[in-house]
PDB file of all heavy atoms in Angstrom:
ATOM      1  N   ASP A 143      -6.301  61.656  75.649  1.00  0.00           N
ATOM      2  CA  ASP A 143      -5.412  62.424  74.787  1.00  0.00           C
ATOM      3  C   ASP A 143      -4.462  61.360  74.172  1.00  0.00           C
ATOM      4  O   ASP A 143      -3.369  61.015  74.468  1.00  0.00           O
ATOM      5  CB  ASP A 143      -4.457  63.181  75.846  1.00  0.00           C
ATOM      6  CG  ASP A 143      -3.371  64.023  75.010  1.00  0.00           C
ATOM      7  OD1 ASP A 143      -3.430  64.088  73.807  1.00  0.00           O
ATOM      8  OD2 ASP A 143      -2.514  64.492  75.787  1.00  0.00           O
ATOM      9  N   LEU A 144      -4.976  60.945  72.953  1.00  0.00           N
ATOM     10  CA  LEU A 144      -4.384  59.834  72.143  1.00  0.00           C
ATOM     11  C   LEU A 144      -3.010  60.193  71.692  1.00  0.00           C
ATOM     12  O   LEU A 144      -2.129  59.429  71.442  1.00  0.00           O
ATOM     13  CB  LEU A 144      -5.352  59.238  71.153  1.00  0.00           C
ATOM     14  CG  LEU A 144      -4.872  57.945  70.369  1.00  0.00           C
ATOM     15  CD1 LEU A 144      -4.533  56.832  71.472  1.00  0.00           C
ATOM     16  CD2 LEU A 144      -6.065  57.447  69.493  1.00  0.00           C
ATOM     17  N   GLU A 145      -2.944  61.556  71.161  1.00  0.00           N
ATOM     18  CA  GLU A 145      -1.743  61.996  70.499  1.00  0.00           C
ATOM     19  C   GLU A 145      -0.484  61.667  71.411  1.00  0.00           C
ATOM     20  O   GLU A 145       0.549  61.309  71.009  1.00  0.00           O
ATOM     21  CB  GLU A 145      -1.771  63.447  70.324  1.00  0.00           C
ATOM     22  CG  GLU A 145      -2.736  63.877  69.164  1.00  0.00           C
ATOM     23  CD  GLU A 145      -2.233  63.638  67.790  1.00  0.00           C
ATOM     24  OE1 GLU A 145      -0.958  63.008  67.744  1.00  0.00           O
ATOM     25  OE2 GLU A 145      -2.833  63.765  66.782  1.00  0.00           O
ATOM     26  N   SER A 146      -0.645  61.893  72.748  1.00  0.00           N
ATOM     27  CA  SER A 146       0.572  61.843  73.577  1.00  0.00           C
ATOM     28  C   SER A 146       0.542  60.434  74.346  1.00  0.00           C
ATOM     29  O   SER A 146       1.520  60.261  75.163  1.00  0.00           O
ATOM     30  CB  SER A 146       0.670  62.853  74.585  1.00  0.00           C
ATOM     31  OG  SER A 146      -0.573  62.894  75.498  1.00  0.00           O
ATOM     32  N   PHE A 147      -0.411  59.467  74.049  1.00  0.00           N
ATOM     33  CA  PHE A 147      -0.475  58.166  74.818  1.00  0.00           C
ATOM     34  C   PHE A 147       0.659  57.316  74.366  1.00  0.00           C
ATOM     35  O   PHE A 147       1.048  57.173  73.250  1.00  0.00           O
ATOM     36  CB  PHE A 147      -1.841  57.613  74.529  1.00  0.00           C
ATOM     37  CG  PHE A 147      -2.267  56.515  75.366  1.00  0.00           C
ATOM     38  CD1 PHE A 147      -2.782  56.799  76.663  1.00  0.00           C
ATOM     39  CD2 PHE A 147      -2.008  55.211  74.972  1.00  0.00           C
ATOM     40  CE1 PHE A 147      -3.153  55.687  77.512  1.00  0.00           C
ATOM     41  CE2 PHE A 147      -2.450  54.138  75.838  1.00  0.00           C
ATOM     42  CZ  PHE A 147      -2.882  54.404  77.096  1.00  0.00           C
ATOM     43  N   ASP A 148       1.192  56.615  75.412  1.00  0.00           N
ATOM     44  CA  ASP A 148       2.147  55.664  75.221  1.00  0.00           C
ATOM     45  C   ASP A 148       1.594  54.335  74.669  1.00  0.00           C
ATOM     46  O   ASP A 148       1.338  53.405  75.482  1.00  0.00           O
ATOM     47  CB  ASP A 148       2.995  55.428  76.452  1.00  0.00           C
ATOM     48  CG  ASP A 148       4.364  54.652  76.294  1.00  0.00           C
ATOM     49  OD1 ASP A 148       4.458  54.016  75.236  1.00  0.00           O
ATOM     50  OD2 ASP A 148       5.173  54.536  77.062  1.00  0.00           O
ATOM     51  N   VAL A 149       1.323  54.306  73.406  1.00  0.00           N
ATOM     52  CA  VAL A 149       0.616  53.040  72.859  1.00  0.00           C
ATOM     53  C   VAL A 149       1.498  51.841  72.990  1.00  0.00           C
ATOM     54  O   VAL A 149       1.003  50.774  73.201  1.00  0.00           O
ATOM     55  CB  VAL A 149       0.246  53.328  71.376  1.00  0.00           C
ATOM     56  CG1 VAL A 149      -0.184  52.060  70.684  1.00  0.00           C
ATOM     57  CG2 VAL A 149      -0.669  54.397  71.277  1.00  0.00           C
ATOM     58  N   VAL A 150       2.802  51.889  72.739  1.00  0.00           N
ATOM     59  CA  VAL A 150       3.660  50.758  72.753  1.00  0.00           C
ATOM     60  C   VAL A 150       3.709  50.148  74.229  1.00  0.00           C
ATOM     61  O   VAL A 150       3.528  48.790  74.350  1.00  0.00           O
ATOM     62  CB  VAL A 150       5.034  51.028  72.137  1.00  0.00           C
ATOM     63  CG1 VAL A 150       5.978  49.810  72.424  1.00  0.00           C
ATOM     64  CG2 VAL A 150       4.894  51.344  70.743  1.00  0.00           C
ATOM     65  N   SER A 151       4.106  50.934  75.136  1.00  0.00           N
ATOM     66  CA  SER A 151       4.176  50.387  76.459  1.00  0.00           C
ATOM     67  C   SER A 151       2.866  49.859  77.040  1.00  0.00           C
ATOM     68  O   SER A 151       2.852  48.739  77.616  1.00  0.00           O
ATOM     69  CB  SER A 151       4.649  51.444  77.440  1.00  0.00           C
ATOM     70  OG  SER A 151       4.816  51.039  78.734  1.00  0.00           O
TER      71      SER A 151
END
Side-chain angles (χ1 to χ4, degrees):
D143 184 11
L144 188 51
E145 287 283 357
S146 61
F147 193 81
D148 189 348
V149 169
V150 173
S151 176

